[in-house]
Amino acid sequence: MKPSENREAHGYRDPVHSPELPCRVVFLNGTSSSGKTTLARAIQDESDIPFVYWGIDTLFGLVPPNWGGGRDGPRSRDGFWYDRTGHDAQGRPSVVIRYGGVGRRMLRSACAAAAAFAHGGDHLVVDEMLLTPDLLPMWLDALSGLEVQLVRVTCPPAVADRRELARGHPAGLARGHLPTVHAHGHPYDTVVDTTTGTPAELARAVLRRERTVLG
């Protein structure tokens, strides 16, 4: 059996896009180190149709360093910065990415830029960590008229902690955003725990639009 035939047999091959059908958007949302980027890349690999990738780090790579969190200078308070003042109930560090007026404008522009691919005829996979709950309506407004599959990406907190350490991310970043990243009030179409299967298995399940993905 050819690889493409095998993929069809599993039921997750999408029809070829036509002008009459809205483009598909797979919107992955979760904390840092939850496995979103690995899943997004696997979706690209496992799909028989091309998905353009857009991630929150795509935007952060475009932000001038003086307005970003890395340098933590005075201008970052208008852009993006790491708030390292918090701790959880066990006293462990809790880091949150904050943004100012310039940062919010950039976030809005990022939504429009990513959505332009889908409005232009390209399927889109979004790798997002909603910094505040009110950013999801901004995204959904930008993606209006498109077929959006909202996917909650999660893993046990201890796994996220280990991944942060291995990747050199700020310790406590996943912990800091966990209370708010899913607090937007919109129901998810799919829920994925990235510890329950291989990236390819999980990607195929997302492409099949399964409600809960357990590997």
Side-chain angles (χ1 to χ4, degrees):
M1 181 180 288
K2 295 179 181 178
S4 60
E5 293 172 343
N6 183 55
R7 288 192 288 266
E8 283 189 45
H10 282 85
Y12 56 85
R13 176 168 181 162
D14 283 347
V16 175
H17 176 66
S18 68
E20 291 76 25
L21 296 175
C23 281
R24 183 176 179 185
V25 179
V26 178
F27 190 99
L28 309 176
N29 179 48
T31 66
S32 170
S33 299
S34 61
K36 303 182 306 298
T37 302
T38 300
L39 178 58
R41 296 304 189 186
I43 287 171
Q44 288 184 305
D45 287 342
E46 294 300 315
S47 176
D48 284 330
I49 57 173
F51 274 85
V52 172
Y53 170 89
W54 182 278
I56 187 171
D57 286 337
T58 309
L59 169 61
F60 288 162
L62 300 173
V63 175
N66 286 335
W67 277 264
R71 293 183 180 176
D72 199 28
R75 290 176 178 171
S76 68
R77 295 307 186 268
D78 288 329
F80 301 91
W81 79 96
Y82 291 113
D83 181 350
R84 305 175 187 269
T85 61
H87 294 81
D88 68 5
Q90 287 73 44
R92 296 171 299 185
S94 177
V95 179
V96 175
I97 299 176
R98 309 286 187 189
Y99 59 86
V102 172
R104 186 171 181 85
R105 186 179 68 223
M106 291 179 177
L107 288 163
R108 183 178 296 277
S109 297
C111 293
F117 282 100
H119 286 298
D122 294 301
H123 300 281
L124 178 68
V125 57
V126 178
D127 168 7
E128 176 66 301
M129 179 176 74
L130 293 169
L131 301 181
T132 53
D134 61 316
L135 293 178
L136 183 58
M138 183 187 296
W139 269 107
L140 295 179
D141 182 63
L143 297 170
S144 178
L146 301 167
E147 179 191 347
V148 180
Q149 179 184 2
L150 190 59
V151 181
R152 174 175 180 150
V153 182
T154 185
C155 70
V159 173
D161 288 344
R162 291 196 296 270
R163 290 173 177 173
E164 282 182 340
L165 181 63
R167 299 169 184 176
H169 292 178
L173 184 59
R175 196 177 305 121
H177 282 276
L178 185 58
T180 60
V181 72
H182 300 298
H184 45 71
H186 290 259
Y188 282 99
D189 301 300
T190 303
V191 178
V192 178
D193 180 341
T194 57
T195 65
T196 60
T198 68
E201 290 169 340
L202 300 176
R204 291 195 292 267
V206 170
L207 289 166
R208 288 194 300 264
R209 298 175 173 86
E210 291 186 13
R211 178 68 183 94
T212 302
V213 180
L214 298 177

